[in-house]
Each structure stands twice: as structure tokens, then as C-alpha cells.
């Protein structure tokens, strides 16, 4: 597993406002959208392209276009949904699949309540979206599902990761073609499994619900 923490002043600036407890839901959604677009730039560095010949008003030239099979973008509901638009804006040919997952706040075990994506992902590049990589349980289960369907290149785009979660991912997904792109690597998890300093419950902050 590869970890890439995006080091950029615009990312740090937007993330600081996202973390701030005074930030309202509408602003939180806008910032999550903007942040994922900045992360997508890094996450798609190896997206597959093919050469094409085109004619400009001045001459002929050779360029590239996104190639087949189309990349698949999978937001993990609920909070990952807030990252979908920002991602597909940069990947207009992408197909979108969905995984609904919830973490039991007592046991911290993740379970899946909805799955809607192609059965066969062989040869596909997959971008899985979830703002929080806390214990890693959710992302490990999601990525296992994608690899089980044949995906051979998985990139997880997250806003915050914990060192504990990264360690679990490295252990549980050793030898699999997985990259994690994050806006920050935080200090630790607290006793409730929340990222510290973190931003609280991403889904609640995004959709205005109270934990
Ligand atoms: O790394 P983990 O310890 O598994 O925790 C991270 C998960 O927890 C949150 O989802 P939550 O269960 O709150 O669902 P929600 O997105 O519907 O709020 C978050 O959006 C991640 O999916
Ligand atoms: O800090 C955390 C941990 C899990 N889920 C969240 O939304 N936030
Ligand atoms: Mg939540």
C-alpha cells in the first residue's frame, strides 16, 4: 500500500476551515467538494490514457484521452457521497458505483448495508471515496470487496487519515495494489475511535445531523 499526503497550502487552508467546529453544513459540503478536486489531481496521476490524433485550427497534433475500460468511482455512503461530484468533475467518463457502510460506534466494526456496482471489475481502475480513515475497518472491507470483484488498481481518496488506520490498512491489504491519497495524516485516534484533532463525525457535519 502506498500513502500520499498532499502537501499544498490551498489544501491546508481549506482543511483548517473544514476542521473548525464553527463551520456550518453548507460550507462543509462546499469545502469537501473543493478539497476532493484538489486531491483528485494527485489521485489520478496514473489514470490510464490513450493517444489520439486531433486537428487544431492551426495544425494536426497528438494528445491523450481517458481510455477504456472506464474508471469506476465508488463513494462510501453516507459521508463519501459529499466527495462524488468533485471527483467526477475531473473524471467525466467515469462510471459510478455505490457502497453503503456504517460503523458501529460501540464495537467500531464496519458493516455494509447497500452495494450497487458492477460484478466484474477486472482490469478496472477504481477510486473509492470516504472522508475519514479512522480505524480503517470501513476502507479495508470496501477495498476487499473491490479486489474480490477483480479490481487491479484501487486508490482511496480520503480527507483525513489516522496513523492507526494506515497501519491496519498496510497490514490487512499487504501485497494489494492500493494507494491512499489524503489531505492530512492526523495525530491519533481517541478512545471512541475518532480522529484527533480530526473534524468530528464527517457524515453528521456534512448533512446536519447530530451524533
Ligand atoms: O475507519 P473507520 O473506523 O471504519 O471509520 C470511518 C468511517 O466512519 C464514518 O462513517 P459512519 O459509520 O459514521 O457513516 P456515515 O458516513 O453514514 O456517517 C466515516 O464516514 C467512514 O466511513
Ligand atoms: O473521526 C471520525 C471517525 C470516524 N468517522 C468520522 O466521521 N469521524
Ligand atoms: Mg457518520
Amino acid at each position: 500500500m502506498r500513502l500520499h499526503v498532499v502537501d499544498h497550502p490551498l489544501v491546508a487552508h481549506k482543511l483548517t476551515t473544514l476542521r473548525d467546529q464553527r463551520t456550518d453544513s453548507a460550507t462543509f459540503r462546499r469545502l469537501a467538494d473543493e478539497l476532493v478536486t484538489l486531491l483528485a489531481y494527485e489521485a489520478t496521476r496514473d489514470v490510464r490514457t490513450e493517444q489520439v490524433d486531433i486537428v487544431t485550427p492551426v495544425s494536426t497534433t497528438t494528445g491523450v484521452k481517458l481510455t477504456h475500460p472506464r474508471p469506476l468511482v465508488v463513494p462510501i455512503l453516507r459521508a463519501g457521497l459529499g466527495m462524488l461530484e468533485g471527483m467526477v468533475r475531473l473524471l467525466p467518463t467515469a462510471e459510478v458505483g455505490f457502497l453503503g457502510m456504517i460503523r458501529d460506534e460501540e464495537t467500531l466494526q464496519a458493516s455494509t448495508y447497500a452495494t450497487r456496482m458492477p460484478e466484474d471489475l477486472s482490469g478496472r481502475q477504481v477510486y473509492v471515496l470516504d472522508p475519514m480513515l479512522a480505524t480503517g475497518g470501513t476502507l479495508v472491507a470496501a477495498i476487499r470487496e473491490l479486489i474480490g470483484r477483480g479490481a487491479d488498481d484501487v486508490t482511496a481518496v480520503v480527507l483525513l487519515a489516522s496513523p492507526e488506520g494506515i497501519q491496519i490498512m498496510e497490514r490487512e491489504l499487504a501485497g494489494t495494489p492500493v494507494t491512499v491519497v489524503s489531505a492530512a495524516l492526523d495525530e491519533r485516534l481517541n478512545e471512541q475511535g475518532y480522529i484527533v484533532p480530526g473534524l468530528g463525525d464527517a457524515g453528521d457535519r456534512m448533512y446536519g445531523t447530530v451524533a
Side-chain angles (χ1 to χ4, degrees):
M1 195 202 84
R2 275 189 318 158
L3 171 66
H4 186 104
V5 179
V6 176
D7 181 16
H8 191 288
L10 284 181
V11 169
H13 167 80
K14 289 176 195 303
L15 190 56
T16 303
T17 308
L18 199 77
R19 289 182 191 277
D20 192 327
Q21 62 176 358
R22 296 170 300 182
T23 299
D24 63 19
S25 288
T27 310
F28 192 96
R29 286 195 297 271
R30 180 174 58 76
L31 286 168
D33 174 82
E34 291 176 3
L35 270 167
V36 75
T37 300
L38 293 172
L39 298 184
Y41 184 74
E42 204 50 55
T44 54
R45 191 164 284 284
D46 295 322
V47 70
R48 292 177 197 137
T49 56
E50 66 187 39
Q51 220 175 302
V52 285
D53 297 323
I54 57 150
V55 185
T56 78
V58 180
S59 79
T60 57
T61 189
T62 303
V64 296
K65 67 170 192 179
L66 298 180
T67 194
H68 285 270
R70 298 184 292 153
L72 179 74
V73 175
V74 180
I76 300 182
L77 311 182
R78 201 177 35 149
L81 202 52
M83 299 170 73
L84 178 59
E85 270 308 310
M87 190 73 193
V88 294
R89 201 177 294 132
L90 291 200
L91 277 181
T93 63
E95 180 180 353
V96 180
F98 295 90
L99 268 179
M101 302 189 68
I102 183 114
R103 182 178 88 155
D104 183 309
E105 293 299 332
E106 295 296 316
T107 64
L108 302 183
Q109 294 298 306
S111 61
T112 303
Y113 59 83
T115 309
R116 185 89 158 98
M117 56 186 177
E119 286 299 328
D120 182 11
L121 296 179
S122 347
R124 302 286 294 269
Q125 283 185 304
V126 183
Y127 298 90
V128 53
L129 312 176
D130 191 333
M132 309 303 278
L133 199 181
T135 66
T138 302
L139 264 180
V140 165
I143 291 171
R144 283 204 175 121
E145 179 68 37
L146 297 166
I147 303 256
R149 289 173 189 239
D152 64 355
D153 183 352
V154 179
T155 301
V157 183
V158 307
L159 299 183
L160 291 184
S162 75
E164 294 90 335
I166 292 294
Q167 214 173 26
I168 298 277
M169 297 264 295
E170 275 167 347
R171 194 183 73 207
E172 297 294 317
L173 300 170
T176 53
V178 175
T179 303
V180 175
V181 175
S182 183
L185 180 60
D186 271 12
E187 283 166 27
R188 61 185 174 88
L189 290 181
N190 69 12
E191 304 68 39
Q192 287 78 42
Y194 274 76
I195 299 177
V196 179
L199 50 74
D201 187 299
D204 286 341
R205 296 203 58 195
M206 199 171 272
Y207 298 115
T209 48
V210 200

